[in-house]
Amino acid sequence: MVQFNFDMLGNLPRIDKYIVKIAAAKKKRKKVIVIGSGIAGLAVSIRLKTKGYDVEVYEKNENVGGKLSDFYIDNYRHDFGPKLFTMPDLIEDIFKDAGVNIDDYFK
């Protein structure tokens, strides 16, 4: 009968060290970078965050929202794009996924 000793492995790491590394890797969150904070960038950021990802959003403009943003010239407000949601169920899904009551933000 041969008795196995971990010292026979020399400099090779022990199996229990691998188990610790695997457990630590499972606890480590994946990081995602989203370029652009328009409606699509914000939606995917919220959904990824609710799935446990660390999310960073980068935007080149001063405001978030993309075409949902507005700007002022001589005290007049202008929209960058339409502000009408033609598929409100998609917005409701995002709020539901995030565990936030949509009625607290929309009337």
Side-chain angles (χ1 to χ4, degrees):
M1 181 165 127
V2 177
Q3 186 175 10
F4 185 79
N5 184 337
F6 276 106
D7 294 334
M8 297 165 83
L9 297 175
N11 291 331
L12 294 175
R14 290 180 47 180
I15 224 62
D16 56 348
K17 290 182 182 177
Y18 280 119
I19 293 171
V20 171
K21 286 181 182 179
I22 291 169
K26 285 185 178 180
K27 289 183 180 179
K28 189 174 182 179
R29 296 170 63 143
K30 294 180 181 179
K31 183 176 179 179
V32 176
I33 295 174
V34 176
I35 308 297
S37 65
I39 190 69
L42 294 174
V44 75
S45 299
I46 293 167
R47 288 197 165 131
L48 288 169
K49 187 72 174 172
T50 62
K51 301 279 187 213
Y53 289 86
D54 285 328
V55 179
E56 289 185 20
V57 180
Y58 291 89
E59 172 60 53
K60 68 177 179 177
N61 298 311
E62 293 179 15
N63 300 328
V64 299
K67 291 180 181 171
L68 295 176
S69 299
D70 53 16
F71 63 97
Y72 288 85
I73 297 177
D74 298 329
N75 294 329
Y76 293 99
R77 185 178 67 83
H78 302 275
D79 295 329
F80 278 114
K83 296 206 180 212
L84 173 68
F85 291 118
T86 57
M87 300 178 77
D89 54 317
L90 297 178
I91 302 300
E92 292 168 358
D93 288 346
I94 294 169
F95 276 81
K96 189 186 305 179
D97 289 347
V100 177
N101 185 0
I102 193 169
D103 295 329
D104 294 341
Y105 296 90
F106 290 98
K107 293 182 180 183

